[in-house]
Amino acid sequence: MNIVVYSSDANYMLYYLENEQGTVDMKINKQNTKMGFLYPNNHIYLTVGKSTKL
């Protein structure tokens, strides 16, 4: 797997992930409460809320 980290957005850390099955952009906000996987044909977003925080 290749991982490239870039930060063109001040509010997010952006990652480019690649393996033999394909590529995806992943972004995580600076507070670590939102994560997004941006596939070419699909976007998946995960959010941490009160019920999932430790």
Side-chain angles (χ1 to χ4, degrees):
M1 174 179 272
N2 290 328
I3 300 172
V4 177
V5 179
Y6 56 94
S7 187
S8 59
D9 187 330
N11 297 315
Y12 286 89
M13 286 298 296
L14 305 170
Y15 301 85
Y16 176 79
L17 310 175
E18 178 181 24
N19 67 14
E20 64 276 350
Q21 295 179 344
T23 63
V24 65
D25 289 324
M26 179 179 74
K27 67 180 192 174
I28 302 174
N29 72 341
K30 298 289 184 180
Q31 296 81 20
N32 293 325
T33 58
K34 295 181 183 179
M35 178 184 289
F37 295 94
L38 310 175
Y39 294 94
N41 59 347
N42 194 8
H43 294 172
I44 299 170
Y45 297 99
L46 305 170
T47 302
V48 175
K50 287 182 181 180
S51 64
T52 55
K53 288 183 182 178
L54 297 176

